[in-house]
Amino acid sequence: MADSSPQKGNSTDDGDQKSEDGPLTPSSTKNLDSKTLRRLAQNREAARKSRLRKKAYVQQLESSRVKLNQLEQELQRARQQGFYLGGYSNDQSHAAASSGAAAFDMEYGRWLEEQQRQMTELRTSLQAHVSDDELRVLVDAAMSHYDEIFRLKTAAAKSDVFHLVSGMWKTPAERCFMWMGGFRPSELLKILIPQLEPLTEQQLMGICNLQQSSQQAEDALSQGMEALQQSLADTLATGSLGAASNVANYMGQMAMAMGKLGTLENFVRQADNLRHQTLQQMHRILTTRQAARAFLAIGDYFGRLRALSSLWAARPRE
């Protein structure tokens, strides 16, 4: 009678679970082999995990809804107060960027100290008329030292590209001549040519061609930067400024601006590559002694700019 009568009970999920996943009676497990038992156990485990995933998904949706409401309220308060920045997440990102900038400033200070030591050694060797082999070791070391600063700047650009572009790691007088996080290669070559005379005709032609190609690359990068700034301004100005806007539209607008702003790091990296390649090609064009004088002149020029900044800061004020 029990085997032939229909099973009683509600047809709910709990009931299904009890009929499928519930414990098996000795009479029902009599004829089941181990493979079937293992399959039933796997089915019960899969159903349990599915229920857990569904529960977690529902909780995540609810949490996202709460966060979205909080964000909407914060944006509304920010509009009423007249600003949009601030908040814990912004403080965190600012702290991380500041940490990267501080680390770069410290490394750059050490780099300057080592450059001063190298310049003193180069000046002494030139005055002592050491052999070309001895001088070549110092020149190669000076070139390797510039390789190091470009490596440091690449890492710094990933951490805080705005710090490099602003030139806050330079002195005020140096910042007057800043171009995309550093010096203009073409302008530096223009300064160096009188310091390297006499030059052979072939050397002079090589330096002039290098200056011209550097100028063309600088112009292309400058135009790209201007286009980026214009595109970024257009993106931020989309819609009605100062009026209430939809949170989703606002966040989408910020996401587009962030994507465009990400190319700034690429521009700074290309500018540093141009500076690096210009120094390397100049090194190949010049003789060992001319290259020594060139690196010495570069160090002295930027040293004078730093000294000018110190004098300006110490000037008497009424």
Side-chain angles (χ1 to χ4, degrees), residues 53-69:
R53 285 195 298 268
K54 181 179 179 181
K55 182 178 179 181
Y57 178 68
V58 171
Q59 291 176 345
Q60 184 180 4
L61 286 178
E62 179 63 20
S63 176
S64 299
R65 185 187 67 80
V66 173
K67 289 181 180 178
L68 183 59
N69 289 338

Side-chain angles (χ1 to χ4, degrees), residues 66-218:
V66 173
K67 289 181 180 178
L68 183 59
N69 289 338
Q70 292 176 348
L71 177 61
E72 201 167 15
Q73 293 173 4
E74 289 178 3
L75 288 175
Q76 185 62 32
R77 286 195 299 267
R79 293 190 189 100
Q80 294 173 357
Q81 296 173 3
F83 60 90
Y84 287 89
L85 295 179
Y88 179 68
S89 60
N90 184 62
D91 292 342
Q92 279 187 321
S93 61
H94 179 70
S98 298
S99 176
F104 171 75
D105 290 350
M106 187 187 316
E107 292 294 333
Y108 179 66
R110 294 172 182 169
W111 186 89
L112 282 179
E113 291 177 359
E114 175 61 19
Q115 187 191 41
Q116 291 297 325
R117 188 195 65 78
Q118 289 185 351
M119 294 303 100
T120 300
E121 199 169 3
L122 268 177
R123 184 177 288 105
T124 302
S125 300
L126 284 172
Q127 292 173 350
H129 302 287
V130 300
S131 66
D132 284 355
D133 290 339
E134 293 178 274
L135 197 58
R136 187 176 296 110
V137 173
L138 299 178
V139 169
D140 291 343
M143 188 66 244
S144 297
H145 194 54
Y146 276 100
D147 295 342
E148 175 68 11
I149 189 58
F150 289 120
R151 184 190 66 79
L152 291 174
K153 290 180 69 178
T154 298
K158 294 179 180 179
S159 175
D160 187 359
V161 68
F162 291 108
H163 184 67
L164 288 182
V165 174
S166 67
M168 296 307 296
W169 50 286
K170 290 278 193 178
T171 59
E174 290 177 287
R175 289 200 293 270
C176 289
F177 302 94
M178 287 284 289
W179 172 77
M180 294 181 67
F183 60 85
R184 283 183 177 269
S186 62
E187 292 297 326
L188 190 64
L189 290 174
K190 189 183 299 183
I191 294 170
L192 286 179
I193 289 177
Q195 307 296 325
L196 302 176
E197 294 175 348
L199 293 169
T200 66
E201 184 177 349
Q202 184 177 2
Q203 285 178 323
L204 184 59
M205 183 178 298
I207 293 292
C208 290
N209 290 337
L210 180 59
Q211 182 183 3
Q212 183 177 5
S213 62
S214 297
Q215 180 67 61
Q216 292 173 349
E218 291 167 18

Side-chain angles (χ1 to χ4, degrees), residues 5-70:
S5 62
Q7 184 178 358
K8 295 181 180 181
N10 298 329
S11 59
T12 61
D13 292 340
D14 293 340
D16 293 339
Q17 181 183 344
K18 290 178 182 177
S19 63
E20 294 176 4
D21 300 339
L24 299 174
T25 63
S27 59
S28 62
T29 58
K30 235 184 253 186
N31 301 324
L32 296 180
D33 54 14
S34 60
K35 183 176 180 181
T36 303
L37 291 173
R38 187 165 55 251
R39 181 177 60 81
L40 290 174
Q42 291 174 350
N43 289 343
R44 288 194 296 271
E45 180 64 17
R48 185 183 69 83
K49 291 181 178 179
S50 177
R51 290 191 297 273
L52 290 176
R53 285 195 298 268
K54 181 179 179 181
K55 182 178 179 181
Y57 178 68
V58 171
Q59 291 176 345
Q60 184 180 4
L61 286 178
E62 179 63 20
S63 176
S64 299
R65 185 187 67 80
V66 173
K67 289 181 180 178
L68 183 59
N69 289 338
Q70 292 176 348

Side-chain angles (χ1 to χ4, degrees), residues 239-287:
S240 300
L241 295 175
S245 59
N246 182 273
V247 175
N249 292 340
Y250 176 82
M251 297 306 294
Q253 192 178 18
M254 291 297 104
M256 289 180 59
M258 287 289 290
K260 294 180 179 181
L261 198 58
T263 60
L264 180 61
E265 180 185 335
N266 185 45
F267 277 112
V268 174
R269 185 169 58 249
Q270 290 184 60
D272 270 345
N273 287 339
L274 177 60
R275 284 183 274 265
H276 196 185
Q277 292 172 8
T278 301
L279 288 176
Q280 289 176 331
Q281 292 181 36
M282 179 201 72
H283 184 200
R284 287 192 289 266
I285 292 173
L286 302 176
T287 65

